[in-house]
């Protein structure tokens, strides 16, 4: 039986996600309906993607009994309320990152999903890439030796993008792109909580973080040195340094297709094409891996993905709260 999807939000990321679903077999995946707050936008999106049902309110999609799992692609501040309502209506949920705007809200959603015995996953698509799978294998095999440091740089000139620059839209580079650097370090170090976080950075005129540098200090002499900025473009790579060698996922590391390994080994992948319609974002064909991961989990009866566990989503939210507290942003960490 096909996994029956609902799409909450009709923006660019939902476009790319739907293109990936429609690149897969209809025997495995079907899109039942799309919803947006604007009926005209929902209808246009449905027409563009040949989706039979569309709604001008989120509530209508939430009440559709044919929808099994919902992809939440709305703006960051809407995540908490949308996911909460979906879980209350018995829907499984894949929610775009960040799951919410603070750790308190994220923990509440995790607790609710567990109480309702429903699947919930933060849409950290990077974790589902074959390059990430191969990197995990290299680390687990000991080929890199003992991992002592992670270095990640993520710089894109996005300071004028509204979702990043405005507080009311849940902006700031930490939650928009910094979360990719944080999840990478967390994955390498096994989802452990760092014993210390040291962060500094700059805020824009709206009071959101626009450039951040942070060090995560772990036990056993391990460090993660991360920087993320919306003020300029630069090579954005992720490097794992071990006592026997290093591994690097090339730019764009968050959706990387090239992994460099010791002894001049290179692991490359070709991304799925999706439905053939144009994507809005770089390497969005890789969202296909995330779609397939959700179906795999649901078929196994899992309530969370082993690739992106719920406790780690809470940990990432806690780390982001602490980073922004140190950088000086206020107003969201304890909403």
């Amino acid at each position: 039986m096909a996994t029956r999807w609902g799409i909450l939000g009709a923006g660019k990321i939902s476009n790319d996600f739907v293109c990936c679903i429609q690149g897969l077999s209809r025997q495995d995946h079907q899109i039942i309906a799309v919803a947006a707050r604007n009926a005209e936008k929902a209808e246009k999106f449905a027409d563009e993607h040949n989706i039979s049902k569309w709604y001008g309110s989120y509530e209508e999609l939430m009440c559709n009994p044919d929808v099994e799992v919902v992809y939440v692609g709305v703006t960051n501040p809407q995540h908490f309320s949308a996911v909460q309502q979906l879980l209350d209506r018995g829907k499984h949920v894949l929610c775009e990152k960040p799951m919410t705007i603070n750790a308190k809200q994220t923990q509440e959603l995790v607790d609710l999903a567990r109480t309702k015995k429903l699947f919930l996953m933060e849409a950290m698509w990077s974790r589902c890439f074959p390059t990430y799978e191969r990197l995990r294998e290299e680390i687990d095999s000991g080929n890199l030796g003992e991992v002592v440091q992670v270095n990640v740089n993520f710089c894109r000139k996005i300071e004028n993008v509204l979702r990043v620059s405005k507080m009311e839209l849940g902006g700031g580079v930490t939650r928009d792109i910094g979360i990719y650097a944080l999840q990478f370090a967390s994955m390498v170090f096994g989802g452990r909580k760092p014993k210390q976080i040291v962060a500094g950075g700059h805020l824009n005129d709206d009071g959101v973080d626009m450039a951040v540098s942070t060090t995560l200090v772990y036990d056993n002499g391990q460090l993660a040195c991360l920087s993320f900025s919306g003020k300029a473009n630069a090579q954005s790579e992720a490097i794992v340094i071990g006592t026997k060698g290093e591994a690097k996922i090339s730019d764009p590391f968050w959706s990387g297709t090239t992994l460099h390994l010791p002894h001049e080994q290179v692991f490359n992948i070709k991304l799925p094409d999706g439905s053939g319609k144009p994507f809005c974002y770089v390497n969005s064909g890789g969202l296909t891996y995330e779609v397939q991961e959700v179906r795999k989990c649901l078929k196994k009866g899992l309530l969370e993905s082993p690739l992106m566990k719920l406790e780690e989503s809470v940990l990432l939210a806690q780390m982001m709260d602490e980073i922004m507290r140190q950088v000086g942003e206020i107003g969201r960490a304890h909403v």
Side-chain angles (χ1 to χ4, degrees):
M1 182 180 293
T3 300
R4 303 183 310 279
W5 290 90
I7 308 298
L8 205 70
K12 292 180 179 180
I13 190 61
S14 292
N15 171 86
D16 290 4
F17 191 81
V18 165
C19 286
C20 287
I21 292 179
Q22 293 182 333
L24 296 168
S25 169
R26 284 185 55 82
Q27 293 182 333
D28 292 337
H29 298 273
Q30 293 179 15
I31 300 175
I32 303 300
V34 60
R37 289 179 298 179
N38 179 291
E40 183 179 346
K41 187 173 183 180
E43 182 179 18
K44 181 181 178 183
F45 189 98
D47 288 343
E48 288 174 351
H49 295 282
N50 298 311
I51 299 171
S52 59
K53 292 183 180 179
W54 56 269
Y55 302 114
S57 74
Y58 298 154
E59 176 76 17
E60 291 175 280
L61 183 141
M62 293 175 182
C63 294
N64 186 323
D66 295 328
V67 173
E68 175 187 10
V69 56
V70 177
Y71 170 74
V72 176
V74 298
T75 59
N76 294 348
Q78 296 178 287
H79 287 184
F80 176 74
S81 176
V83 175
Q84 185 180 57
Q85 291 178 69
L86 286 164
L87 293 172
D88 279 336
R89 286 163 174 77
K91 306 299 185 187
H92 302 298
V93 179
L94 173 67
C95 180
E96 257 310 326
K97 59 81 193 166
M99 188 177 289
T100 70
I101 60 170
N102 59 56
K104 179 177 179 289
Q105 289 185 349
T106 300
Q107 185 66 65
E108 286 185 32
L109 293 182
V110 168
D111 292 343
L112 180 60
R114 287 173 172 165
T115 298
K116 297 284 187 178
K117 293 182 169 52
L118 292 165
F119 177 84
L120 174 63
M121 180 181 178
E122 185 172 22
M124 200 64 70
W125 63 317
S126 310
R127 293 290 180 92
C128 305
F129 269 65
T131 40
Y132 274 60
E133 179 182 7
R134 178 64 185 276
L135 176 59
R136 289 191 292 266
E137 291 172 353
E138 288 292 314
I139 294 170
D140 293 343
S141 70
N143 287 344
L144 301 180
E146 179 187 356
V147 175
V148 294
Q149 187 162 323
V150 168
N151 295 337
V152 184
N153 185 56
F154 195 162
C155 296
R156 287 294 186 269
K157 192 170 178 56
I158 53 176
E159 60 183 339
N160 294 320
V161 176
L162 289 180
R163 74 166 194 275
V164 180
S165 64
K166 294 297 182 182
M167 175 73 76
E168 65 267 23
L169 296 179
V173 293
T174 299
R175 286 195 173 89
D176 194 79
I177 61 178
I179 190 172
Y180 285 119
L182 289 164
Q183 68 81 26
F184 184 87
S186 185
M187 181 191 75
V188 171
F189 290 131
R192 290 152 46 209
K193 186 175 183 177
K195 67 178 184 179
Q196 184 182 10
I197 297 174
V198 181
H202 298 287
L203 307 180
N204 70 2
D205 292 338
D206 207 50
V208 300
D209 55 299
M210 202 51 60
V212 174
S213 178
T214 184
T215 298
L216 311 180
V217 182
Y218 290 87
D219 292 323
N220 305 320
Q222 296 170 316
L223 292 173
C225 301
L226 318 174
S227 62
F228 19 98
S229 174
K231 299 175 75 67
N233 293 317
Q235 282 295 305
S236 299
E237 302 174 328
I239 300 171
V240 181
I241 302 171
T243 54
K244 293 182 180 178
E246 68 176 46
K248 179 179 74 174
I249 298 183
S250 299
D251 187 335
F253 77 88
W254 64 96
S255 55
T257 59
T258 301
L259 170 64
H260 297 270
L261 297 167
H263 311 298
E264 299 184 353
Q265 294 182 74
V266 180
F267 176 73
N268 289 302
I269 63 169
K270 183 183 182 302
L271 294 175
D273 295 325
S275 65
K277 291 186 174 72
F279 289 121
C280 297
Y281 297 112
V282 63
N283 286 359
S284 277
L287 290 166
T288 302
Y289 306 127
E290 185 177 66
V291 174
Q292 293 170 320
E293 172 65 11
V294 172
R295 175 170 170 78
K296 184 189 302 183
C297 290
L298 292 178
K299 287 186 68 177
K300 291 181 177 179
L302 300 180
L303 300 183
E304 60 184 301
S305 167
L307 300 182
M308 190 62 212
K309 294 181 179 179
L310 294 176
E311 285 303 322
E312 197 171 357
S313 288
V314 174
L315 175 60
L316 289 174
Q318 291 170 341
M319 289 195 288
M320 290 188 290
D321 283 355
E322 176 59 19
I323 287 168
M324 287 184 290
R325 184 192 69 80
Q326 293 187 32
V327 171
E329 181 181 311
I330 60 174
R332 289 189 294 193
H334 305 288
V335 172

